[in-house]
Amino acid sequence: RQISIERIHAPAEAIQNDPLEVAITLHNPGPGRAVGELSVFGSEQLLHQETLTVLQGASLRKISIPLSQIGLIPVHATFTEDTAEIEPVLQKSEATAWVRISRKAKVLILSAQQQDNRYLENALKNNGLKVQTRALADRNAPSPVWSTHDSIIVNNINHEDLPVSLREGIEAYVRQGGGFVMIGGEKSFGLGGYKGTSVETVLPVKSLPPQKEKRRAAVILLIDKSGSMRKRRKLAYAISGALKVSENLRDSDLFGVI
């Protein structure tokens, strides 16, 4: 009799140091139960070891292990059966799965006030990102080292309040693969003075300043041209007045006479 590891299942991708769920299927052809040592390695580093009793038939063992290495990592499981009562040797079964481990992405959120970041920070952390926040209104806080992050989020800040190094280096940062997000608000895009800046060049939109819509006038004159209007040049005065009104209108205004 030999206990075999039928399969080891692990996610194809995982984040560095996050719990990695591994499922190991063992088979005991019987008869009876068997005892042995289950060991799990990541790139030859022992991550888990236990004495396991395997009943006859198929058994599923689930474990959670962290992987600190980066890259394509072999997750290797071995089961060494203790057969000393039957044979003077140890029988060993093994299987391997491969997992691509990536480091946790780092995101920097810049805002004017720390409270502006609360909900966004929690949402990103809940999705497995490593988040650092910085309130630029706090002049005593050290300037953030923004270039070490994978992405930068500018949350409603005037252009002139951004660190000078960020303003000058943002184009190179994005060209090299960095992510950049601007969240709208009364201090973003055109309202925040970003038109014509290096920050605008990395955005997929134009940061136009506020556009003031000119209101158009609509004037309708109702002129009586009955016989009474011919007395004392009333109609002539009415027409002259209508012309004066039209002279004060703009080309975009609407003007009519009835």
Side-chain angles (χ1 to χ4, degrees):
R1 178 184 68 185
Q2 181 174 355
I3 308 302
S4 62
I5 296 181
E6 298 288 312
R7 182 187 182 196
I8 176 171
H9 175 77
E13 297 183 351
I15 300 298
Q16 181 186 27
N17 293 323
D18 277 1
L20 179 71
E21 302 299 327
V22 178
I24 302 169
T25 304
L26 303 102
H27 182 258
N28 177 4
R33 64 181 64 190
V35 178
E37 189 172 74
L38 177 66
S39 304
V40 181
F41 302 83
S43 289
E44 301 182 356
Q45 177 186 358
L46 180 62
L47 301 175
H48 177 86
Q49 192 170 58
E50 64 176 315
T51 299
L52 192 65
T53 299
V54 182
L55 302 179
Q56 184 175 349
S59 298
L60 181 65
R61 180 72 176 102
K62 294 182 178 181
I63 61 173
S64 179
I65 56 174
L67 286 175
S68 58
Q69 304 98 323
I70 296 292
L72 190 60
I73 307 300
V75 178
H76 188 69
T78 66
F79 183 81
T80 305
E81 183 182 358
D82 185 359
T83 58
E85 297 180 359
I86 305 173
E87 304 173 24
V89 295
L90 296 178
Q91 296 184 354
K92 183 178 178 181
S93 178
E94 54 191 332
T96 302
W98 292 84
V99 183
R100 182 170 296 280
I101 304 296
S102 305
R103 68 179 179 85
K104 186 173 291 188
K106 296 169 58 180
V107 177
L108 174 65
I109 306 176
L110 300 176
S111 66
Q113 304 293 333
Q114 188 63 38
Q115 59 265 28
D116 296 342
N117 298 325
R118 182 175 53 185
Y119 296 110
L120 181 59
E121 179 183 1
N122 290 337
L124 295 176
K125 285 183 176 179
N126 289 338
N127 281 275
L129 300 176
K130 186 176 182 180
V131 182
Q132 179 185 5
T133 63
R134 185 57 51 85
L136 298 182
D138 183 2
R139 301 300 181 184
N140 296 322
S143 180
V145 185
W146 54 269
S147 58
T148 61
H149 293 77
D150 298 290
S151 294
I152 300 169
I153 299 177
V154 172
N155 185 11
N156 197 25
I157 311 172
N158 285 316
H159 177 261
E160 62 182 15
D161 293 332
L162 289 178
V164 175
S165 60
L166 176 59
R167 285 183 265 166
E168 295 177 348
I170 188 62
E171 290 183 82
Y173 171 80
V174 172
R175 274 198 306 270
Q176 294 168 6
F180 184 79
V181 178
M182 179 176 288
I183 298 178
E186 69 277 8
K187 298 178 182 178
S188 297
F189 301 105
L191 290 171
Y194 286 91
K195 180 175 174 55
T197 66
S198 57
V199 175
E200 184 188 41
T201 62
V202 303
L203 294 172
V205 296
K206 295 295 183 183
S207 298
L208 296 177
Q211 304 295 306
K212 293 183 179 180
E213 182 180 355
K214 294 181 179 180
R215 295 185 177 181
R216 297 194 300 172
V219 179
I220 299 294
L221 297 180
L222 182 61
I223 300 178
D224 181 8
K225 63 173 185 176
S226 62
S228 62
M229 291 292 291
R230 299 183 183 279
K231 297 178 180 179
R232 300 180 182 179
R233 298 173 54 88
K234 292 181 181 179
L235 183 59
Y237 290 138
I239 294 174
S240 177
L243 291 174
K244 291 296 183 182
V245 170
S246 67
E247 290 174 1
N248 290 317
L249 298 177
R250 296 167 298 190
D251 293 340
S252 59
D253 294 333
L254 302 176
F255 180 68
V257 178
I258 300 176

